[in-house]
Amino acid sequence: MPEGKIRVAIIFGGRSAEHEVSCESARHVAAAMDPTKYDVIPIGISREGRWMLPDASRKALEGGVLEIPDGSLVAEGETVNILADPQRRQIVPADRHSAVDDISVEVVFPVLHGPYGEDGTVQGLLELAGIPYVGSGVLGSALSMDKEKMKVMFHAAGLPSPRYVVIREHDWTRQRRRLIDDAPQLGFPCFTKPANLGSSVGITRCVDPESLEAGIAEAFLHDRKVLVEEAIIGRELECGVLGNDEPQASGVGEVVSVRDFYDYEAKYRDEDSKTIIPADIPDPVAEVVRNYSIRAFQSVDAAGLARVDFFYQQDGRGVLINEINTIPGFTTISMFPKLWMATGLSYPNLIDRLIQLAMQRHDAKR
């Protein structure tokens, strides 16, 4: 770690349906950062895509908001469009009539879940700005966000995963009946999900052709591309990955939901849902999960961190990989930090490690 305080910008909120989760994650990250090591600069983004300056963003975090207002805090902090200066690693207000100073930072910690944050868009901005940032680059972020392309990479790496079909909005509007008739090849129940979203937003468990049609329509509210995926009856396991060129896997955890599946309510609001760390599974199975996690991480060219999710069928197909998340939930009760805490890395030390990895990756690229 370099001498002196490191100026870290935490970018949070954003335009995706996971805005609320992002705000909660950012609050925990900011609170856990050692003030003797870091000068934290929060930058919130409203659901409408307006960037908020640090003073207003700090008030929003400290006030416990779960949504960045698009207009109510403008008078207090002024929202601006953003440009970036790669020579000085500065985030620059695009409105040059603003009295706000340029925001100089040494590293950015994006805590943006879902589209417009986890999909390579913000990563591309930071690459252009020449600013180190925590997590995967443009390619790794984009591949991991798009569930279809993610699965293509998993297949190429020899990783077993559930069967699925892809439906595009263009085809849905013209061949709806045929697509509904073809999809049951996966059997019922099955799941419909937007290709580019997380936190189980927009996912529907379908038990017949009528609910399948409704589930596909619901998923299209969030994306132009929808996956219909076979239902896997088995235990849900998760594993954390940390590193750049030589990634390491954490121990394995299990999520137990009292609902039909581990949906948004189960993840963030249902107190009866729980996580078990370490998962009560045989050691050889845990080793397979950890091995698959690293292979999945490398297959999509991820960097920094990721959480990899699995299904485990004790009397069926064994371990199947579900998906990889390159910016997983980051509250102190989220699975990714809990997995690493159980592995011996405290929450503040995990943040230290991620910032180190960001700077190392940036220096190596230069």
Side-chain angles (χ1 to χ4, degrees):
M1 190 77 72
E3 294 182 4
K5 283 191 179 184
I6 300 175
R7 291 174 63 81
V8 181
I10 299 176
I11 304 180
F12 65 99
R15 294 169 57 189
S16 85
E18 299 176 77
H19 181 104
E20 178 180 317
V21 181
S22 172
C23 293
E24 190 65 26
S25 291
R27 184 174 301 110
H28 285 81
V29 171
M33 297 185 78
D34 186 342
T36 67
K37 294 180 180 179
Y38 304 108
D39 185 7
V40 178
I41 304 168
I43 301 175
I45 304 175
S46 75
R47 288 187 186 274
E48 291 73 20
R50 300 185 71 187
W51 291 55
M52 189 166 291
L53 292 167
D55 285 347
S57 300
R58 187 171 287 106
K59 289 178 182 177
L61 279 185
E62 292 173 353
V65 299
L66 293 178
E67 180 170 343
I68 303 300
D70 191 44
S72 62
L73 291 182
V74 173
E76 296 179 46
E78 183 182 8
T79 57
V80 295
N81 293 319
I82 296 297
L83 298 177
D85 183 345
Q87 298 301 316
R88 295 180 292 170
R89 290 186 181 177
Q90 289 180 330
I91 297 173
V92 184
D95 178 6
R96 301 312 299 165
H97 298 292
S98 171
V100 179
D101 292 333
D102 299 344
I103 305 166
S104 176
V105 299
E106 292 172 83
V107 63
V108 170
F109 199 131
V111 191
L112 294 163
H113 305 304
Y116 309 110
E118 193 174 353
D119 59 355
T121 49
V122 165
Q123 289 76 11
L125 169 66
L126 296 172
E127 289 284 351
L128 288 171
I131 302 175
Y133 56 92
V134 170
S136 294
V138 175
L139 177 63
S141 299
L143 286 173
S144 301
M145 188 78 258
D146 187 310
K147 292 180 174 62
E148 178 196 10
K149 303 307 179 187
M150 174 202 308
K151 288 176 180 291
V152 169
M153 301 310 293
F154 289 166
H155 178 75
L159 297 169
S161 62
R163 295 177 300 139
Y164 69 97
V165 296
V166 177
I167 299 177
R168 289 169 170 79
E169 191 172 33
H170 174 84
D171 297 326
W172 179 246
T173 58
R174 290 163 175 76
Q175 306 175 55
R176 178 175 302 201
R177 191 73 265 152
R178 180 184 67 79
L179 292 171
I180 293 174
D181 291 341
D182 288 349
Q185 64 182 283
L186 300 173
F188 288 109
C190 61
F191 288 92
T192 55
K193 56 181 67 174
N196 292 275
L197 206 56
S199 293
S200 299
V201 175
I203 294 181
T204 303
R205 183 176 184 271
C206 309
V207 296
D208 53 36
E210 290 73 25
S211 59
L212 175 62
E213 182 172 7
I216 293 171
E218 169 65 24
F220 273 128
L221 295 176
H222 301 279
D223 199 358
R224 297 176 59 251
K225 184 166 61 175
V226 168
L227 268 68
V228 181
E229 193 172 79
E230 68 170 324
I232 301 298
I233 308 302
R235 297 164 66 179
E236 297 188 43
L237 306 178
E238 298 186 350
C239 183
V241 182
L242 190 63
N244 289 330
D245 296 330
E246 298 180 334
Q248 297 178 310
S250 71
V252 180
E254 180 175 5
V255 295
V256 180
S257 174
V258 295
R259 296 172 177 266
D260 288 336
F261 67 100
Y262 199 45
D263 61 5
Y264 186 93
E265 294 294 322
K267 286 181 178 179
Y268 302 112
R269 294 174 181 166
D270 194 331
E271 295 182 357
D272 291 328
S273 296
K274 60 182 179 179
T275 58
I276 301 171
I277 302 174
D280 184 14
I281 54 176
D283 289 342
V285 174
E287 192 56 36
V288 168
V289 170
R290 297 176 76 250
N291 175 267
Y292 282 3
S293 295
I294 292 175
R295 287 169 57 187
F297 188 88
Q298 295 172 325
S299 75
V300 298
D301 197 31
L305 75 160
R307 192 196 72 234
V308 190
D309 302 344
F310 297 88
F311 297 113
Y312 171 46
Q313 292 184 308
Q314 293 170 268
D315 301 317
R317 291 152 67 186
V319 175
L320 299 175
I321 186 169
N322 181 25
E323 63 183 33
I324 185 170
N325 298 271
T326 53
I327 304 184
F330 226 98
T331 71
T332 52
I333 62 170
S334 296
M335 182 63 102
F336 180 81
K338 286 179 68 176
L339 285 168
W340 283 106
M341 285 189 275
T343 308
L345 193 61
S346 70
Y347 192 93
N349 287 341
L350 175 60
I351 291 173
D352 289 345
R353 182 65 181 136
L354 289 171
I355 291 172
Q356 291 169 4
L357 288 167
M359 291 182 162
Q360 290 169 6
R361 182 169 177 269
H362 181 78
D363 288 343
K365 290 177 66 176
R366 288 200 300 172

